[in-house]
Amino acid sequence: MKKIQPVKGFSKLSKQAKIEWLINNYSLQPDKALDTIQGYLHQDVSVQKLHDEFIENTISNFYLPFGIAPNFLINGQLYAIPMAIEESSVVAAASKAANFWLERRGFKTTILSTRKVGHVHFIWHGQNHETLFHFFENIQSKFYENSQAITRNMESRGGGIADLKLRDKTHLEPGYYQLEAQFETCDSMGANFINSCLESFAHTLQEEMATSALLEGDDRQLQIVMSILSNYTPECLVRVEVSCPVEEINEGSGIGNQEFAEKFCRAIRIAEIEPYRAVTHNKGIMNGIDSVVLATGNDFRAVEACIHAYAARNGSYRSLTHAEIVDDLFVFSMEIPLSLGTVGGITSLHPMVKFAHEILGHPNAQGLMQIVAAAGLAQNFSAVRSLITSGIQKGHMKMHLLNILNQLEATDEEKLKIVDYFKDHVVSFSETVKVFCEIRGISQEVFAARKGH
Ligand code: MEV
């Protein structure tokens, strides 16, 4: 490994200089690396400039496939859902579930609440705890007044500060209190709005305390630790449900309707009681959720962190979905927190994100929450259906076949022949190599030697 010196002022270098420094120091094949980096630059310089300015030190772009899962009937409206994801079977699975439920009255979704939350975390070692609460109540109006410049716009859209509370956390950490603020952020995810409000509250708190007539001496001292929104939003909740009579579950896998419904419910119960299964089960749900969140320009890291915390809210990590048979009705549902935006961030900047919003009919934030939740439930339905019937690998490997063929550098003609062969054979890497070598007329040993395997 080459000895590399740290670089100073990297962000100030031109893009070209950054690329040169990078590939000369870190790439074994600088020419090839340069081709790759440049090959992924956008041809339209204005689009490339947008990308360059989204983050620091952009040297190229990173593409993901942008797929469409059509036929999602949600509350009586038909959607074609955009998904940005690399995993081969996800869009196919979502589409399959969408078609299945299209015939069975579709997805029903409800927004349960839309509150966001943030905190000013501070330390106060004063003696009279009750006086602190009294002081806090007395200055409530100041928090609103002093943050007017930030909240005016949001208020005109129907949002703003919804509640302010003082929380005593001294049992967890000496002197630890929180100003807990709740917000309504309308169609924006609201991170910048919330953080700006919180920083204003922190300032007000400090200023008012320093001059408060209620507090004296050292009791006027507080230390602001930090002011930041919480990505845990258990009160920004959406519910999604599908249901049909058990006799209509007829999913064509060869097992009876009742048996299918019962097996399905048991699989969900296992994910409710067994964290090892729950994580994989919820990962499948996130396949659907993340891909729509990403395609619509939302913060998938925040969504992930929040949903997993929610899945563990009762002390153990559990399935996000639930299934039951109620009076011969199969009911499959999920309730999840989703803090999303349809304005702000990159929603009006990134051309593909703008397109994703367009094909969804420019939903508001609540509309998008419902679409994303439906994609998550659909994904889980398809995964569990495969798991309890044919197994997951049949469909998964069929979708993965093209990746294997691309890895083998098969021609289009070879691909057609091999895909045809696997219509009635089980896909595996070794079987694909075998068939590929037969079609190409070379031995597997020769192929391995050429590939350096
Ligand atoms: C694969 O990405 C997701 C699944 O493992 C989900 C599941 O097991 O439910 C198929």
Side-chain angles (χ1 to χ4, degrees):
M1 178 101 180
K2 215 163 156 181
K3 189 154 173 24
I4 297 160
Q5 297 304 318
V7 58
K8 287 222 166 67
F10 186 71
S11 66
K12 305 274 180 325
L13 298 179
S14 69
K15 190 198 259 184
Q16 198 49 40
K18 281 178 192 145
I19 293 173
E20 273 166 27
W21 177 85
L22 183 73
I23 62 181
N24 290 335
N25 283 292
Y26 286 96
S27 174
L28 296 177
Q29 295 171 286
D31 290 345
K32 192 163 176 233
L34 188 62
D35 280 353
T36 305
I37 290 167
Q38 289 182 337
Y40 276 86
L41 290 172
H42 204 281
Q43 286 167 352
D44 181 335
V45 286
S46 62
V47 175
Q48 188 52 51
K49 191 160 184 300
L50 265 179
H51 279 244
D52 289 351
E53 290 174 2
F54 282 149
I55 60 166
E56 187 160 280
N57 297 343
T58 309
I59 56 159
S60 187
N61 306 310
F62 186 91
Y63 291 1
L64 279 180
F66 181 95
I68 296 293
N71 296 337
F72 262 90
L73 185 65
I74 306 174
N75 297 340
Q77 194 165 334
L78 209 50
Y79 292 91
I81 300 190
M83 303 178 111
I85 188 148
E86 88 301 342
E87 191 176 325
S88 29
S89 53
V90 171
V91 177
S95 307
K96 206 167 166 196
N99 282 319
F100 182 91
W101 289 105
L102 176 67
E103 316 267 292
R104 293 164 180 80
R105 294 169 291 282
F107 296 79
K108 301 277 171 297
T109 58
T110 325
I111 298 294
L112 302 177
S113 51
T114 54
R115 284 280 170 97
K116 315 278 170 70
V117 67
H119 301 92
V120 177
H121 303 267
F122 68 94
I123 302 295
W124 184 74
H125 288 297
Q127 295 309 308
N128 194 339
H129 161 102
E130 264 160 35
T131 316
L132 180 69
F133 276 81
H134 190 181
F135 155 78
F136 185 80
E137 283 315 313
N138 273 4
I139 63 159
Q140 278 258 349
S141 59
K142 296 276 182 194
F143 293 121
Y144 289 85
E145 275 164 36
N146 297 349
S147 57
Q148 272 272 297
I150 308 163
T151 56
R152 197 171 296 123
N153 213 346
M154 189 62 85
E155 281 166 7
S156 71
R157 291 192 269 140
I161 306 161
D163 194 28
L164 294 177
K165 284 211 164 47
L166 180 63
R167 301 254 181 237
D168 181 349
K169 298 274 171 173
T170 50
H171 56 293
L172 300 172
E173 168 80 16
Y176 176 29
Y177 292 84
Q178 298 172 342
L179 182 166
E180 183 180 281
Q182 299 213 350
F183 302 89
E184 289 291 345
T185 61
C186 306
D187 289 332
S188 65
M189 192 260 196
N192 285 332
F193 168 73
I194 294 174
N195 287 336
S196 300
C197 285
L198 292 170
E199 287 186 9
S200 158
F201 300 159
H203 194 71
T204 300
L205 192 60
Q206 212 149 22
E207 245 180 24
E208 293 297 322
M209 192 172 267
T211 55
S212 169
L214 284 171
L215 302 163
E216 293 179 340
D218 284 353
D219 284 8
R220 286 182 169 171
Q221 306 284 320
L222 95 167
Q223 188 200 340
I224 303 288
V225 181
M226 58 192 156
S227 309
I228 186 75
L229 92 166
S230 174
N231 285 122
Y232 186 45
T233 55
E235 289 184 42
C236 187
L237 271 188
V238 56
R239 180 184 155 78
V240 55
E241 180 184 304
V242 285
S243 65
C244 72
V246 170
E247 65 190 31
E248 282 179 25
I249 202 84
N250 173 24
E251 51 73 59
S253 70
I255 66 172
N257 293 333
Q258 187 67 31
E259 188 189 348
F260 175 85
E262 282 171 11
K263 221 174 160 190
F264 193 100
C265 292
R266 185 169 304 121
I268 304 292
R269 276 202 303 280
I270 288 173
E272 283 170 345
I273 56 177
E274 170 53 66
Y276 276 97
R277 171 60 199 147
V279 171
T280 318
H281 176 94
N282 288 348
K283 185 273 181 188
I285 297 170
M286 299 316 290
N287 279 342
I289 292 179
D290 280 348
S291 53
V292 190
V293 168
L294 201 54
T296 56
N298 274 279
D299 182 343
F300 61 92
R301 289 84 57 207
V303 167
E304 281 274 344
C306 179
I307 289 185
H308 295 303
Y310 189 75
R313 69 193 179 285
N314 294 326
S316 79
Y317 190 88
R318 306 179 65 151
S319 163
L320 292 160
T321 52
H322 310 285
E324 54 184 341
I325 301 169
V326 193
D327 298 335
D328 292 331
L329 194 71
F330 171 78
V331 183
F332 182 44
S333 66
M334 175 171 77
E335 215 175 273
I336 44 165
L338 269 178
S339 172
L340 301 176
T342 53
V343 297
I346 60 164
T347 55
S348 57
L349 292 174
H350 194 295
M352 290 307 289
V353 168
K354 279 167 42 181
F355 174 66
H357 283 264
E358 182 189 332
I359 58 169
L360 290 174
H362 293 291
N364 59 18
Q366 296 194 15
L368 187 59
M369 284 165 77
Q370 302 181 62
I371 293 165
V372 170
L377 191 73
Q379 203 63 40
N380 190 232
F381 181 75
S382 272
V384 175
R385 179 167 64 163
S386 297
L387 286 167
I388 63 165
T389 55
S390 59
I392 206 73
Q393 282 309 86
K394 192 169 162 226
H396 192 76
M397 288 307 286
K398 268 221 156 109
M399 294 307 302
H400 191 56
L401 178 58
L402 282 180
N403 287 345
I404 301 177
L405 292 176
N406 283 332
Q407 232 174 303
L408 301 178
E409 295 174 7
T411 63
D412 286 348
E413 202 183 326
E414 286 165 342
K415 280 181 191 169
L416 278 179
K417 285 187 188 154
I418 297 170
V419 168
D420 194 48
Y421 170 86
F422 279 112
K423 280 196 177 132
D424 47 18
H425 290 84
V426 178
V427 181
S428 70
F429 186 80
S430 57
E431 184 68 5
T432 312
V433 172
K434 190 180 125 226
V435 180
F436 169 78
C437 288
E438 275 166 20
I439 289 176
R440 214 168 243 205
I442 51 172
S443 75
Q444 289 187 52
E445 290 71 30
V446 169
F447 174 73
R450 274 190 209 156
K451 280 268 171 198
H453 291 167

